[in-house]
Amino acid sequence: MKRADIVRGLKVDGNEMPDKVFALALSPTHLLHRAQQLAANKSAAALREAGLTIRQFALLEALSENDGSSQSQLVDATAIDRSTLADMVSRMEKSGLIRRQRSESDMRANTVHLTEAGDAALAIARPAVAIADQELLDLLPKNRRNSFVGILSLIADVSDTTLLDLETETDETGATKKVKKKKKKSKDKDELKGKKKSGKKKKA
């Protein structure tokens, strides 16, 4: 089956194409899953030296950005489900990476804090994760990387990124630039103008 035939079978802009052919190779959910597997493998390999899992790194990084977060706030920041995160916090506290204390504003809740050991683990992990991130971005053209990260942010709903923001891209040197929308002239309009001009000549 040709690629064009596959595309015709997809739903484009809300309009379902007549032959209703599904193509795994063009499925956004499948492609995101494949990309996630690649990203997870790179991150896991990078974090091995620091002795952290991907989720543990995310939790420590979230605390680094907002130390003293509640567990509910950490759930929001990391997208780790509540029960899993509670178990992680308990185990990571025992290993000395984090500590819990009673919240000053709500004695029924705990706040979570980085320890020196957790901060040291982050210091080892961050450069390795940054390299893994860069290896992933290196698979894309330089002028598409900002848009790629922005689109992921939109899908994951983790930032205030808008489609308008995605019009800012980078050139081959990495410098940012504003994407200019090209105005396309309609052939129909050109033909109509030509007919009007020829009509005026005949009247003259």
Side-chain angles (χ1 to χ4, degrees), residues 36-139:
Q36 187 272 338
Q37 285 181 315
L38 175 63
N41 288 340
K42 285 184 176 294
S43 295
L47 288 167
R48 201 166 289 134
E49 185 181 347
L52 298 174
T53 66
I54 297 170
R55 286 179 171 178
Q56 287 174 335
F57 173 76
L59 193 152
L60 291 177
E61 190 61 53
L63 283 177
S64 176
E65 295 174 6
N66 190 17
D67 195 47
S69 295
S70 67
Q71 289 187 195
S72 293
Q73 289 172 323
L74 289 173
V75 167
D76 292 337
T78 62
I80 299 170
D81 68 86
R82 193 172 297 276
S83 61
T84 300
L85 188 131
D87 182 57
M88 284 178 58
V89 167
S90 178
R91 287 185 286 108
M92 291 172 72
E93 185 176 33
K94 289 177 182 177
S95 64
L97 294 171
I98 60 176
R99 62 181 176 83
R100 284 181 286 185
Q101 68 181 47
R102 285 293 177 188
S103 171
E104 294 179 1
S105 58
D106 184 358
M107 294 304 294
R108 296 170 301 176
N110 289 322
T111 54
V112 187
H113 303 263
L114 266 180
T115 63
E116 288 186 9
D119 202 37
L122 270 181
I124 297 172
R126 278 196 192 109
V129 173
I131 291 172
D133 284 346
Q134 190 58 52
E135 287 177 353
L136 197 63
L137 291 175
D138 285 344
L139 298 174

Side-chain angles (χ1 to χ4, degrees), residues 148-169:
F148 172 72
V149 175
I151 289 169
L152 289 178
S153 297
L154 279 175
I155 294 173
D157 192 23
V158 295
S159 73
D160 295 328
T161 302
T162 65
L163 289 174
L164 187 61
D165 296 329
L166 300 184
E167 292 181 2
T168 301
E169 297 180 347

